[in-house]
Amino acid sequence: MVQMKIEVVPIIILLVYLAGMLSIGFLSNKFLIKDSNDYLLGGRRMGLLFVAASLSANNVGGGSTTGVAAKAFNGWGISAGWYVLAASVAMIPLAYFAPKIRKAMAYTIPEVIGRRFGNGVGTISAVLNILSLFCLTASQILAAGSVVSSLTGLNLRLCIVLATALVLFYTSMGGLIADSIADLFQWIIIFGGLLISLPFIVQGAGGWEAVTSALPAEEMDFTKVGWFTIISLILNYFCTFLSGPEIVSRFASSEDETTARKAAWLSALMMALMAFIPAVIGLVALAENPNLDGGTGTSALMFATKSYAPPIITGLIAAAIVAATMSSSDSNLLCSSTIFVKDIYQKYINPNITDHQTLIMTRACNIVIGVCAMIIAMLNISIVTLNLFAFALRSAGPFAAYGLGLAMPNATKNSGIVSVLVGSIAAVVWQVLGEPFGILAIVFGAVLGCISFVITTMIERAMGKPPAPPAFVE
């Protein structure tokens, strides 16, 4: 009887959450979407809390919740919190770039790169971004479907279809406005659910002293994972954020440059506040059941929650995990469609596309990309390696051209294409070599891309070459 209650209550809460997401899409489309600018960038009028929450929710996915708990269980200890705290630290320097991103008045990263360094390098960046976002959308849909399947007992493929339908509905209906509103609620569910569950879980396990006494002392070392890994995570997040369409689009949607800068600071604080909560829950699971999942602790978060939290809290955590995956998949979907329409279709196929046609085409792309991603997810194809390659290419190649393109007004035109090629090739080679010395491919590629960008600019400026056209629209 108790077991049935624990299963039913979380399902009810999850259904309420899903109904809320559908309502957001419907109401956003009915009352807030007037043109393509509203749909793609929220009319560039998103306020501080919406932007900051959306930035945070887009970064905190399944890996930052269930993944952190599993890492804490399986070797990282309390230092697993750095998996999220590193993202918080990496967000801080974006407070410098955020106003520049907003000032550029662009829809996409490839648009800015193409504006400065030519259509060719802009198109290369667009292709890399679409490839990466497509793969990430498929993996997030699979993750969301898996969570719903484990909670309800329904067939995995059916859950994948349901997850895809939900994401397609509220993203296609409400665009970035719906995404941002949904992200705010999703962040409240993620942070609030984890925070509320924590005292129940710790107390249910006998209190904090009982938990720590059952663990080796090194599990409570905040730097157990090592400073090299911590610094690598920070650099990885910084490269990813500055060249990530889903992050850049949030800054671009801000109501002004000041809001964009403040949103970076607030997002850093929001992520820092929740960073170590999943790690603590993972340690509770380790103290109580060190042989969980054969010693891997894959289900540490849900195990501790189901064991010690009331059913309603278990439901909140389940909704939080689904929210974490949804908040990433909707943004990936919308960004990939926006890049295709603005940087490929409008540039090469239909330069005279009307505003209404832009709206229709973007929604159609959402559906096509979403269905294709769903098919890949249903086939249960392992896309981890492909994701890593695509992710590294997306960030390592365009990183210097976009970031330094905004920060260095004297950069020359060829520095853009050189840095994209050098960064992309370096990332692929480094990935194939197995990421020697523990240096991530994305970091290696981004660093070499920046070096080649600066050197090319110095050489061309010494030769008397003029600066590339400005990134900002006067």
Side-chain angles (χ1 to χ4, degrees), residues 319-339:
I321 296 172
V322 174
T325 57
M326 293 291 188
S327 63
S328 300
S329 57
D330 55 19
S331 297
N332 291 333
L333 183 63
L334 182 60
C335 286
S336 58
S337 298
T338 302
I339 291 172

Side-chain angles (χ1 to χ4, degrees), residues 20 26 45 70 102 115-116 261 265 278 282 285 306 358 406 428:
F26 175 78
R45 60 177 183 270
R102 176 61 175 79
R115 188 185 294 169
R116 286 224 70 185
R261 182 179 65 253
W265 286 103
K306 285 184 176 181
T358 299
L406 289 173
V428 171

Side-chain angles (χ1 to χ4, degrees), residues 47-385:
L48 174 60
L49 184 58
F50 282 103
V51 177
S54 195
L55 289 169
S56 303
N58 272 286
N59 176 64
V60 177
S64 302
T65 50
T66 56
V68 167
K71 285 181 179 293
F73 184 102
N74 192 23
W76 283 31
I78 194 68
S79 70
W82 276 102
Y83 191 83
V84 178
L85 188 60
S88 171
V89 175
M91 185 62 72
I92 294 174
L94 261 72
Y96 166 77
F97 289 95
K100 297 180 182 295
I101 294 171
R102 176 61 175 79
K103 183 181 178 182
M105 294 296 289
Y107 285 93
T108 67
I109 289 174
E111 180 182 349
V112 173
I113 294 176
R115 188 185 294 169
R116 286 224 70 185
F117 307 113
N119 288 337
V121 64
T123 302
I124 293 174
S125 301
V127 172
L128 294 176
N129 274 271
I130 292 172
L131 172 64
S132 175
L133 291 166
F134 177 81
C135 295
L136 293 172
T137 300
S139 63
Q140 291 295 335
I141 287 175
L142 176 59
S146 299
V147 171
V148 176
S149 177
S150 65
L151 184 65
T152 63
L154 294 174
N155 179 270
L156 175 60
R157 290 188 176 182
L158 175 60
C159 292
I160 289 172
V161 173
L162 293 175
T164 304
L166 176 68
V167 172
L168 282 178
F169 182 86
Y170 78 78
T171 302
S172 297
M173 290 290 286
L176 189 134
I177 291 180
D179 282 359
S180 295
I181 296 174
D183 283 345
L184 175 59
F185 283 102
Q186 286 163 344
W187 176 257
I188 293 172
I189 294 171
I190 295 168
F191 179 62
L194 290 171
L195 184 63
I196 293 171
S197 72
L198 187 60
F200 288 100
I201 293 171
V202 173
Q203 190 60 36
W208 186 238
E209 289 187 6
V211 172
T212 55
S213 64
L215 298 171
E218 61 265 22
E219 298 293 345
M220 303 310 299
D221 183 356
F222 280 88
T223 59
K224 180 187 178 184
V225 69
W227 281 108
F228 182 84
T229 298
I230 293 171
I231 293 173
S232 295
L233 283 172
I234 294 172
L235 292 174
N236 173 63
Y237 277 120
F238 176 68
C239 295
T240 300
F241 288 167
L242 186 54
S243 54
E246 66 280 7
I247 300 297
V248 168
S249 66
R250 268 49 186 179
F251 289 130
S253 72
S254 302
E255 58 187 356
D256 53 42
E257 295 168 29
T258 300
T259 298
R261 182 179 65 253
K262 290 181 178 178
W265 286 103
L266 181 56
S267 175
L269 175 62
M270 293 167 74
M271 288 189 287
L273 290 174
M274 68 86 55
F276 287 93
I277 298 177
V280 171
I281 296 175
L283 289 179
V284 171
L286 177 62
E288 295 298 296
N289 187 0
N291 294 317
L292 179 66
D293 302 320
T296 63
T298 304
S299 63
L301 187 69
M302 288 308 298
F303 166 80
T305 304
K306 285 184 176 181
S307 298
Y308 302 114
I312 191 170
I313 303 300
T314 303
L316 287 174
I317 292 298
I321 296 172
V322 174
T325 57
M326 293 291 188
S327 63
S328 300
S329 57
D330 55 19
S331 297
N332 291 333
L333 183 63
L334 182 60
C335 286
S336 58
S337 298
T338 302
I339 291 172
F340 176 80
V341 172
K342 301 297 291 186
D343 298 305
I344 295 180
Y345 183 81
Q346 184 173 355
K347 185 173 293 184
Y348 297 106
I349 301 174
N350 185 7
N352 299 317
I353 186 173
T354 65
D355 184 82
H356 181 64
Q357 289 173 331
T358 299
L359 204 55
I360 294 175
M361 178 61 67
T362 307
R363 283 175 166 156
C365 286
N366 285 338
I367 295 173
V368 171
I369 294 173
V371 170
C372 291
M374 178 191 71
I375 293 172
I376 292 179
M378 283 199 297
L379 292 174
N380 209 14
I381 298 174
S382 176
I383 56 175
V384 174
T385 302

